[in-house]
Amino acid sequence: MSEEIPSVDYVEGTGIPVRGNDIDTDQIIPARFMKVVTFDGLGEFAFFDQRFDDEDNEKDHPFNEEQYQDANVLVVNSNFGCGSSREHAPQALQRWGIDAIIGESFAEIFAGNCLALGVPTVTADTETIEELQDYVEKYPDADIEIDVEAETVSYDDRVVEVTVDDAQRKALVEGIWDTTALMKSNTNAIEETAKSLPYVEDPEPRKGHADD
Amino acid sequence: MSDGTLYDKVWDRHKVTTLPNGQDQLFVGLHLIHEVTSPQAFGMLRERDIEVARPDLTHATVDHIVPTGDQSRPLDNEAAEEMMAELEENVREAGIQLDDPTTGNQGIVHVIGPEQGITQPGKTIVCGDSHTSTHGAFGALAFGIGTSQIRDVLATQTVAMEKKKVRKIEVTGELGEGVTAKDIILTIIRRLGTDGGVGYVYEYAGEAIESLGMEGRMSICNMSIEGGARAGYVNPDETTYEWLAETDEFTDDPERFEELKPYWESIKSDDDAEYDDVVTIDGSEIEPVVTWGTTPGQGIGISEEIPAPEDLPADKQDTARRAQEHMRVEPGNTMEGYNIDVAFLGSCTNARLPDLRAAAEIVKGREVDDSVRGMVVPGSQRVKAAAEAEGLDEVFKEAGFDWREAGCSMCLGMNDDQLEGDEACASSSNRNFVGRQGSKDGRTVLMSPEMVAAAAVTGEVTDVRELPKTEVEA
Ligand code: SF4
């Protein structure tokens, strides 16, 4: 059985701007939300301390604003995602609804973690980013298209040049970013290797399985 | 021609293919899981509707958050109870064996694998925990993995990895009185640095290593990661086989033992194997080691002086200065006489039966100093039971130690066992990072179990060689 890894060569949707340089992973997902057993509910805690004060009152933040609730393209400034290596950060953003991030620059580990989830991190110069942020603010319902392979972003009848790191582009476009799916497609070879190992016995029939 | 090192051979036997991203896909012989790092991975699997590929090669326990006092359910701490319940649900659904505290087999993941005999030479072993390197003591290729990799292993029983270089570390000669495996590994890390092993796997060899029992070899492989090496191993030998023959896996099935032995023999490093680097250390020169700072590499012999930061290499000076401030130690002094408040005997580095025995021999006939809280946390329920059968618990309790249930405990302070304020702790664990034992001002001094025992009874860091031992009768 082989499982297709979706190639991520194209992302389309509406934008949401989060302004500021050096937004770290503690801001994206505060550490206290990591004492959890799944990444499942993390979406609602994205930018939590930026969105709510100590009394849980809403603060000014794009993630709170009505017009951005369906947005899937995050537009940020420089060194986004710096700090710890926690996979919880991109997980929270993706679960909130983000499919791609456009920014001036990204922390390396954060970008790597995004790639593991199939979320492109696309870069452009300061001016291009600010123009895009202004545009999204003005027209929150307007369509934004990211062509990962061609390295362009189209909006408002404009096509602007962006950059996608070579290795990331290859992985996304060729659909080899997801190691689980990538490796799962080698089922026969896995079984052969298992059989060749003297200590591996045939799998026991499943016990206690929900469908039994 | 040589087939190479154990690392080369085990890698080749487990390699499924080379992936288009350049990494090798390796088959995993044993996947160990615990309550803290596995739940997110199960969540991801559920989301994709993927089943656990080989529950029969997966084995679970609870150790990190499990309380070492009252373990009755539901656990007092809500977050702990939730994590425990989640693991129970996940293993039930997948059909994975769980050694929980009701089984008598529960314990720190790196203690129970070897104890039950599922840790074997020539296996690839992974776990969402950096001290998985421990299992290398048996000649297994064992390393810690992250959450996405746990997901990969659950889904496929394989992991994507890049091959590393191999450094052989030869420890020659005979260890002196009062010198243990812990002192060897602290010496290695001090010599090669906490990042010296990055990009390498460590092969431990030489007379001083070979003459160690399995527990000592585990203490050494355990701390490979503190030296920056994701994995470390010792080639299997008669000591390894004797241990295995006594385990659950083989006592009832001696034929299986004979069947597998040729494989175990075949994966040993060849005599003419080539190494990317070789380091030799004279074991006879090692004395009991203690740390003076806040990284495991900041260690010195008990009679040595704490170094002045300016005498250290340029890139180490700043950390040293901050560490000395945190620990409140002065260059030029030795660590002898450093006051301690807590004595912690536990962790996957040093909480096995011989560790407890050696400590008990120091403790017997003495009392924990009035200024010290002493606690013993056996590495597993089986270690605890075996120690009790020998009367070690009585020795510790009579001396004033708290004798607790098995778990990680104060090694990382994720349950209630934590340092308070700026308490100083003589600890048999593996990490002395600031905040590691639960208090950001806490001060950890790493040392061997017998050195912890000595510190407990004197109230200060003490050269164990100066305290006569008393044999503990079984
Ligand atoms: S005892 Fe400490 S180092 Fe070992 S597994 Fe537990 S927390 Fe990790």
Side-chain angles (χ1 to χ4, degrees):
Chain A
M1 186 202 77
S2 97
E3 190 179 323
E4 279 289 297
I5 307 167
S7 83
V8 185
D9 46 8
Y10 197 78
V11 179
E12 188 182 357
T14 59
I16 173 169
V18 171
R19 293 180 193 264
N21 296 334
D22 304 306
I23 291 180
D24 62 46
T25 49
D26 269 290
Q27 295 183 46
I28 300 171
I29 182 81
R32 65 179 184 283
F33 297 118
M34 291 169 57
K35 250 193 167 174
V36 290
V37 290
T38 72
F39 291 134
D40 286 352
L42 283 185
E44 59 180 294
F45 302 120
F47 291 112
F48 195 86
D49 292 344
Q50 267 60 47
R51 288 162 62 196
F52 301 98
D53 67 14
D54 287 346
E55 272 85 50
D56 280 349
N57 300 313
E58 279 199 7
K59 298 200 276 192
D60 263 358
H61 192 277
F63 271 59
N64 285 340
E65 288 173 35
E66 192 60 43
Q67 71 269 31
Y68 298 127
Q69 292 309 306
D70 294 327
N72 63 342
V73 177
L74 179 61
V75 192
V76 299
N77 300 97
S78 74
N79 199 26
F80 186 80
C82 56
S84 90
S85 64
R86 63 184 68 150
E87 195 174 304
H88 299 68
Q91 286 279 356
L93 295 176
Q94 191 186 39
R95 276 151 211 276
W96 188 86
I98 300 300
D99 295 325
I101 314 180
I102 307 174
E104 213 179 308
S105 62
F106 297 92
E108 197 182 310
I109 298 176
F110 176 83
N113 285 339
C114 284
L115 180 62
L117 303 178
V119 174
T121 45
V122 175
T123 55
D125 59 47
T126 317
E127 215 187 324
T128 307
I129 294 295
E130 282 171 5
E131 275 175 24
L132 182 58
Q133 286 178 327
D134 292 343
Y135 177 80
V136 170
E137 245 162 41
K138 215 160 162 194
Y139 306 105
D141 296 329
D143 212 37
I144 298 172
E145 290 168 34
I146 303 169
D147 189 329
V148 176
E149 190 166 15
E151 297 182 276
T152 57
V153 170
S154 320
Y155 67 98
D156 188 27
D157 294 337
R158 271 194 280 179
V159 179
V160 296
E161 303 271 314
V162 294
T163 307
V164 185
D165 167 80
D166 285 347
Q168 183 188 139
R169 195 174 66 241
K170 181 176 155 74
L172 289 170
V173 172
E174 291 179 18
I176 52 170
W177 51 271
D178 180 330
T179 43
T180 300
L182 202 60
M183 296 200 295
K184 210 169 187 318
S185 65
N186 297 329
T187 308
N188 289 339
I190 297 173
E191 268 169 27
E192 259 168 51
T193 307
K195 281 215 174 71
S196 76
L197 291 164
Y199 69 84
V200 180
E201 293 171 281
D202 286 340
E204 299 153 14
R206 285 172 182 262
K207 26 173 194 194
H209 188 261
D211 299 337
D212 282 355
Chain B
M1 207 196 94
S2 166
D3 293 327
T5 61
L6 179 145
Y7 181 65
D8 298 325
K9 295 187 199 182
V10 177
W11 186 281
D12 289 347
R13 295 281 312 235
H14 290 78
K15 179 172 160 181
V16 174
T17 185
T18 302
L19 297 168
N21 67 8
Q23 293 178 307
D24 277 354
Q25 179 175 4
L26 286 191
F27 186 78
V28 171
L30 174 63
H31 185 197
L32 297 164
I33 59 175
H34 62 77
E35 74 279 29
V36 173
T37 52
S38 71
Q40 298 88 347
F42 277 102
M44 295 192 243
L45 234 58
R46 218 167 273 136
E47 226 167 59
R48 297 179 178 204
D49 205 16
I50 299 177
E51 287 196 343
V52 176
R54 293 296 300 260
D56 59 317
L57 301 179
T58 314
H59 198 104
T61 188
V62 282
D63 49 10
H64 283 66
I65 52 94
V66 83
T68 58
D70 178 10
Q71 296 181 328
S72 57
R73 304 287 300 275
L75 302 173
D76 278 347
N77 182 304
E78 254 176 63
E81 174 61 33
E82 197 196 341
M83 292 183 125
M84 182 104 168
E86 181 77 15
L87 181 70
E88 287 167 337
E89 173 63 21
N90 288 335
V91 299
R92 195 193 57 78
E93 229 178 72
I96 294 167
Q97 185 178 331
L98 166 66
D99 295 330
D100 68 25
T102 63
T103 60
N105 298 324
Q106 174 266 344
I108 305 173
V109 62
H110 312 310
V111 177
I112 66 156
E115 193 167 75
Q116 298 180 18
I118 54 177
T119 297
Q120 294 166 12
K123 265 195 191 184
T124 42
I125 302 179
V126 300
C127 173
D129 189 285
S130 59
H131 291 98
T132 309
S133 56
T134 312
H135 306 261
F138 289 79
L141 177 53
F143 41 83
I145 56 176
T147 302
S148 295
Q149 289 174 306
I150 299 174
R151 175 194 68 193
D152 287 352
V153 181
L154 288 174
T156 67
Q157 201 60 27
T158 61
V159 65
M161 295 277 292
E162 281 121 46
K163 209 171 166 194
K164 306 265 190 267
K165 295 187 271 189
V166 182
R167 173 179 291 142
K168 182 179 190 174
I169 302 179
E170 220 163 343
V171 188
T172 59
E174 209 179 304
L175 296 182
E177 174 71 18
V179 180
T180 70
K182 182 69 159 282
D183 304 302
I184 296 181
I185 187 64
L186 284 170
T187 302
I188 291 172
I189 299 168
R190 172 191 185 187
R191 180 85 72 85
L192 300 176
T194 48
D195 55 1
V198 174
Y200 284 95
V201 160
Y202 282 172
E203 174 175 312
Y204 302 101
E207 202 186 325
I209 303 285
E210 283 152 20
S211 58
L212 291 171
M214 290 316 296
E215 293 89 349
R217 297 179 187 186
M218 284 189 254
S219 302
I220 290 181
C221 290
N222 175 273
M223 289 186 72
S224 302
I225 187 70
E226 266 60 59
R230 206 162 162 191
Y233 64 86
V234 179
N235 280 299
D237 59 11
E238 284 312 314
T239 308
T240 322
Y241 305 144
E242 274 167 31
W243 170 291
L244 284 163
E246 299 290 310
T247 60
D248 308 6
E249 283 291 296
F250 301 110
T251 40
D252 293 341
D253 196 357
E255 271 171 36
R256 183 87 181 131
F257 182 91
E258 292 307 326
E259 254 170 55
L260 288 178
K261 198 170 166 191
Y263 172 65
W264 300 338
E265 285 283 301
S266 76
I267 49 88
K268 290 205 274 199
S269 293
D270 290 342
D271 290 338
D272 58 350
E274 281 180 29
Y275 296 87
D276 300 288
D277 190 26
V278 178
V279 171
T280 307
I281 287 177
D282 182 353
S284 65
E285 281 185 1
I286 300 176
E287 56 171 353
V289 179
V290 294
T291 55
W292 51 264
T294 53
T295 82
Q298 291 169 328
I300 43 170
I302 186 69
S303 68
E304 269 179 274
E305 289 176 7
I306 298 164
E310 54 274 20
D311 294 340
L312 296 170
D315 61 327
K316 302 260 184 299
Q317 296 185 3
D318 206 41
T319 350
R321 240 173 248 122
R322 269 183 283 128
Q324 293 185 353
E325 204 172 300
H326 180 87
M327 296 299 291
R328 295 191 232 132
V329 295
E330 297 287 337
N333 293 344
T334 68
M335 281 301 285
E336 238 185 318
Y338 186 78
N339 273 330
I340 66 141
D341 309 296
V342 177
F344 172 63
L345 207 52
S347 91
C348 59
T349 314
N350 279 127
R352 298 181 182 83
L353 193 57
D355 300 321
L356 302 188
R357 271 189 203 135
E361 286 184 353
I362 301 296
V363 167
K364 174 121 177 152
R366 299 193 170 95
E367 268 176 30
V368 172
D369 190 83
D370 284 345
S371 65
V372 174
R373 336 193 231 138
M375 57 197 287
V376 188
V377 183
S380 70
Q381 290 183 317
R382 290 194 190 183
V383 168
K384 184 171 187 248
E388 285 171 357
E390 290 182 14
L392 301 185
D393 58 326
E394 289 306 325
V395 175
F396 285 115
K397 284 192 275 193
E398 268 165 34
F401 273 95
D402 194 2
W403 177 254
R404 302 186 69 84
E405 303 296 335
C408 293
S409 180
M410 206 189 271
C411 175
L412 87 167
M414 241 184 132
N415 65 5
D416 293 339
D417 307 340
Q418 303 190 345
L419 292 184
E420 286 160 27
D422 64 354
E423 278 179 333
C425 179
S427 181
S428 68
S429 60
N430 47 46
R431 284 184 176 157
N432 52 346
F433 301 148
V434 172
R436 170 76 177 179
Q437 293 191 290
S439 165
K440 68 175 177 29
D441 298 319
R443 294 168 289 150
T444 303
V445 185
L446 301 177
M447 57 186 81
S448 70
E450 38 264 74
M451 285 285 284
V452 171
V457 297
T458 60
E460 54 187 43
V461 174
T462 300
D463 188 341
V464 66
R465 295 171 297 188
E466 286 161 14
L467 295 183
K469 292 183 192 173
T470 311
E471 207 171 303
V472 181
E473 304 253 329

